[in-house]
């Protein structure tokens, strides 16, 4: 039986795939960094070759005496429908790296609608197991004692509780809430003993006394369950924070904004105490969360959480830039916001409710892949291996084709796909065929005759025939 010969009437029904093997040190192929197009979508592969010639003129003839081949040129063009950052890095001489452990700064761009917050108690970040190990802290209104008016005048025995009653606020001991429904803001200027100016903002504060356990002479105070960096306060020495051996903290309930007094934002503040004896040994660890009524919060939780408030840009639909306030204890007016960088909660004024805002900010991302271009790039050279199958025009034989280009490099620009709502644009990469290594052919094309069991095309053709037969039966 005669040996089957290669058909001279072949077609390429598939684009095929390619492998790019970069040359490394010593002009050796580095297969550990090879790129296989199987991970993406190849639309087409086109190869061109040409001869650049020069003619020897003959003055006695209208034809050249001899035509010499001066150079041989060739290109291979890969048209891809999908983008792969690894391929861009390989082609451009850039560094591609994946690192799940290192945090990298990333930018986020999104939008939100200012709406009423359903949960304003977002500042207490402690799990139930940890909370169960803490004792409940006893509180009361600060007892009468020294005070300083806003003008600097000292008052020896100021009745704090009576002042709060006059203002119309009270401390609900059962819920640990400073209630401000009946607050009379107009009376604050007449009771400036409760007013203090901090960081340029004038606020009215309620003094809350935290009862110390017996034998406690010092206390560490923190707003988190971690006391490592907490301040240690001596309860035996009177100060702004200590009176009659009791620790006192002041919580703002109103602030002056543009000459007018306003309620401060509704919020919750957790206090953690580690009480110490004379030998600095812990006696007891307690917790108390103080809730403050006030202006209703209009807020959202940003995800991802910004890592840098200075790089957080918020604009409305007209391009007006919102400004940040630096404290949750400051009333938020129209066009302003406060961001809690621990929880990602961002608060707005009720005057901005239902506004659509646009945000751009940085955050710390994980599991980042990077393509880093070099200031001094080097041209990468590759061996290109193109793998495909052909079949003859009568679809009776199948061949596997290998086209091996020994040495090639990117020609022209590397232009990744355009970022558009049409994902079919893809990108095209063209390689120039260069001089091959010694003893190697610049281009080698190999054909292998296949049977139907080893041919992908044959299997595809068979599937298509079955589908056509099934469709014909359904249509009958």
């Amino acid at each position: 039986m005669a040996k089957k010969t290669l058909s001279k009437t072949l077609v390429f029904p598939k684009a095929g795939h390619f492998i790019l093997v970069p040359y490394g040190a010593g002009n050796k192929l580095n297969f550990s960094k090879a790129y296989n197009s199987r991970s993406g979508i190849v639309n087409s592969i086109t190869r061109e070759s040409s001869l650049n010639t020069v003619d020897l003129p003959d003055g006695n003839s209208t034809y050249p005496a001899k035509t010499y081949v001066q150079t041989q040129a060739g290109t291979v063009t890969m048209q891809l429908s999908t983008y792969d950052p690894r391929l861009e890095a390989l082609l451009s001489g850039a560094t591609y790296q994946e690192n799940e452990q290192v945090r990298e700064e990333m930018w986020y761009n999104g939008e939100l609608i200012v709406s009423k917050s359903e949960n304003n108690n977002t500042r207490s970040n402690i799990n139930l197991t940890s909370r169960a190990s803490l004792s409940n802290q006893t509180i009361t209104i600060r007892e009468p004692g020294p005070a300083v008016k806003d003008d600097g005048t000292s008052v020896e025995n100021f009745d704090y509780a009576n002042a709060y009653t006059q203002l119309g606020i009270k401390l609900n001991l059962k819920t640990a809430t400073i209630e401000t429904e009946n607050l009379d803001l107009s009376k604050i200027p007449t009771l400036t003993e409760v007013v203090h100016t901090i960081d340029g903002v004038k606020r009215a504060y309620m003094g809350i006394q935290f009862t110390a356990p017996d034998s406690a002479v010092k206390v560490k105070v923190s707003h988190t369950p971690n006391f490592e960096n907490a301040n240690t306060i001596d309860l035996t020495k009177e100060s702004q924070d200590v009176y009659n051996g009791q620790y006192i903290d002041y919580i703002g309930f109103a602030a002056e904004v543009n000459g007018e007094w306003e309620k401060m934002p509704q919020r919750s503040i957790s206090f953690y105490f580690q009480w110490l004896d004379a030998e600095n040994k812990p006696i007891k660890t307690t917790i108390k969360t103080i809730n403050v009524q006030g202006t209703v919060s209009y807020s959202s939780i940003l995800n991802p959480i910004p890592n840098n408030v200075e790089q957080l840009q918020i604009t409305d639909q007209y391009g007006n830039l919102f400004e940040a306030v630096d404290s949750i204890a400051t009333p938020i007016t129209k066009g302003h916001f406060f961001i809690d960088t621990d929880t990602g909660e961002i608060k707005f004024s009720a005057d901005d409710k239902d506004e659509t805002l646009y945000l751009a900010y940085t955050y710390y991302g994980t599991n980042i892949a990077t393509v880093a271009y070099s200031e001094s790039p080097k041209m990468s050279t590759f061996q290109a291996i193109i793998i495909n199958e052909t079949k003859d025009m009568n679809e009776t034989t199948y061949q596997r084709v290998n086209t091996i280009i020994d040495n090639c490099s990117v020609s022209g620009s590397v232009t990744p796909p355009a970022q558009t709502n049409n994902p079919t644009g893809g990108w095209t990469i063209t390689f120039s065929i260069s001089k091959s290594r010694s003893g190697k052919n610049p281009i080698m094309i190999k054909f292998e005759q296949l049977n139907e069991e080893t041919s992908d095309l044959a299997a595809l053709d068979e599937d298509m025939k079955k589908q056509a037969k099934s469709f014909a039966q359904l249509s009958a």
Side-chain angles (χ1 to χ4, degrees):
M1 182 175 171
K3 187 176 181 180
K4 186 179 290 186
T5 59
L6 179 67
S7 171
K8 305 303 187 295
T9 54
L10 301 178
V11 294
F12 288 91
K14 296 197 304 182
H17 286 278
F18 62 89
I19 300 172
L20 294 177
V21 187
Y23 282 98
N27 205 29
K28 294 182 179 179
L29 292 170
N30 187 349
F31 282 89
S32 66
K33 294 185 177 180
Y35 178 82
N36 189 336
S37 70
R38 278 282 183 183
S39 58
I41 299 175
V42 179
N43 189 31
S44 68
I45 300 174
T46 305
R47 177 170 53 84
E48 294 181 353
S49 60
S50 62
L51 299 176
N52 297 319
T53 61
V54 60
D55 293 336
L56 180 65
D58 184 350
N60 295 312
S61 173
T62 56
Y63 299 98
K66 177 72 174 179
T67 299
Y68 295 96
V69 176
Q70 188 175 39
T71 59
Q72 181 171 284
T75 60
V76 177
T77 301
M78 322 289 194
Q79 189 179 59
L80 310 179
S81 295
T82 53
Y83 167 74
D84 188 335
R86 294 171 298 174
L87 180 56
E88 179 181 354
L90 187 65
L91 298 176
S92 306
T95 301
Y96 177 81
Q97 187 174 17
E98 293 181 356
N99 197 327
E100 298 181 4
Q101 306 301 322
V102 177
R103 296 195 308 166
E104 292 277 353
E105 188 173 75
M106 297 285 290
W107 276 93
Y108 172 80
N109 199 342
E111 65 179 62
L112 62 82
I113 297 176
V114 178
S115 58
K116 190 173 182 180
S117 174
E118 297 181 357
N119 180 15
N120 294 292
N121 185 13
T122 60
R123 298 186 59 83
S124 180
N125 297 320
I126 181 172
N127 60 45
L128 296 176
T129 303
S130 300
R131 187 180 290 273
S133 65
L134 302 175
S135 300
N136 184 53
Q137 175 64 48
T138 302
I139 61 172
T140 186
I141 288 286
R142 194 215 145 134
E143 62 184 270
V148 179
K149 292 186 177 182
D150 190 43
D151 61 6
T153 306
S154 297
V155 179
E156 290 188 8
N157 194 33
F158 181 69
D159 190 340
Y160 288 88
N162 182 54
Y164 303 142
T165 299
Q166 291 182 56
L167 292 171
I169 64 171
K170 66 178 182 178
L171 177 62
N172 186 324
L173 296 176
K174 185 176 181 180
T175 61
T177 301
I178 298 175
E179 298 178 348
T180 63
E181 294 101 324
N182 301 314
L183 172 60
D184 188 345
L185 295 169
S186 66
K187 290 185 177 179
I188 293 178
T190 66
L191 293 165
T192 61
E193 292 87 348
V194 304
V195 175
H196 298 283
T197 301
I198 300 176
D199 296 331
V201 181
K202 187 180 291 186
R203 300 184 182 95
Y205 295 86
M206 172 179 279
I208 297 180
Q209 191 167 296
F210 297 84
T211 306
D214 294 339
S215 72
V217 296
K218 293 181 182 180
V219 63
K220 288 186 176 182
V221 185
S222 175
H223 291 298
T224 71
N226 184 358
F227 295 102
E228 183 177 344
N229 298 317
N231 295 326
T232 301
I233 298 170
D234 191 338
L235 298 175
T236 65
K237 298 177 181 180
E238 289 197 3
S239 65
Q240 181 179 337
D241 301 317
V242 177
Y243 184 68
N244 283 344
Q246 304 298 321
Y247 174 75
I248 300 170
D249 209 311
Y250 298 87
I251 299 177
F253 57 85
E256 190 180 57
V257 180
N258 299 325
E260 299 290 336
W261 283 94
E262 297 181 9
K263 291 182 181 181
M264 285 167 53
Q266 179 176 311
R267 64 200 187 281
S268 297
I269 308 171
S270 292
F271 291 86
Y272 298 87
F273 300 95
Q274 188 179 70
W275 304 95
L276 310 173
D277 62 15
E279 297 179 355
N280 289 327
K281 293 180 179 179
I283 299 172
K284 194 176 186 180
T285 303
T286 60
I287 180 176
K288 196 69 177 182
T289 298
I290 308 298
N291 303 299
V292 184
Q293 291 182 342
T295 54
V296 175
S297 174
Y298 285 78
S299 65
S300 298
I301 302 296
L302 298 185
N303 185 19
I305 297 175
N307 71 314
N308 189 329
V309 177
E310 293 181 356
Q311 295 178 175
L312 171 58
Q313 185 186 66
I314 301 176
T315 57
D316 63 16
Q317 58 185 322
Y318 305 105
N320 298 313
L321 188 65
F322 276 55
E323 296 182 11
V325 299
D326 59 4
S327 171
I328 193 174
T330 301
I332 304 170
T333 56
K334 183 175 177 59
H336 292 77
F337 68 92
F338 173 78
I339 176 71
D340 185 335
T341 54
D342 292 327
T343 64
E345 183 180 28
I346 186 166
K347 294 177 178 289
F348 298 93
S349 166
D351 293 332
D352 287 313
K353 68 177 180 178
D354 299 328
E355 285 278 359
T356 298
L357 304 180
Y358 305 97
L359 297 85
Y361 60 85
T362 58
Y363 67 96
Y364 284 125
T366 57
N367 196 19
I368 302 296
T370 60
V371 177
Y373 277 72
S374 170
E375 290 185 359
S376 303
K378 295 180 180 180
M379 179 175 286
S380 300
T381 57
F382 308 92
Q383 182 184 81
I385 305 167
I386 303 170
I387 305 167
N388 203 349
E389 283 191 23
T390 63
K391 59 184 177 181
D392 69 89
M393 193 166 58
N394 296 322
E395 301 186 277
T396 58
T397 64
Y398 302 89
Q399 300 82 31
R400 178 171 295 124
V401 185
N402 282 185
T403 303
I404 301 172
I405 299 166
D406 189 65
N407 196 345
C408 63
S409 59
V410 175
S411 173
S413 61
V414 176
T415 308
Q419 299 179 37
T420 171
N421 64 354
N422 178 8
T424 63
W427 58 322
T428 300
I429 306 160
T430 300
F431 296 87
S432 292
I433 300 173
S434 306
K435 182 179 179 180
S436 60
R437 294 171 295 169
S438 177
K440 301 291 184 179
N441 297 95
I443 304 173
M444 175 71 76
I445 308 166
K446 301 178 181 179
F447 297 85
E448 179 190 12
Q449 295 284 3
L450 300 176
N451 56 43
E452 295 189 3
E453 293 179 355
T454 58
S455 171
D456 293 336
L457 275 178
L460 179 62
D461 288 344
E462 186 63 27
D463 288 341
M464 293 179 66
K465 290 176 182 177
K466 289 180 179 179
Q467 292 176 14
K469 184 177 180 181
S470 298
F471 181 77
Q473 292 173 345
L474 290 172
S475 302

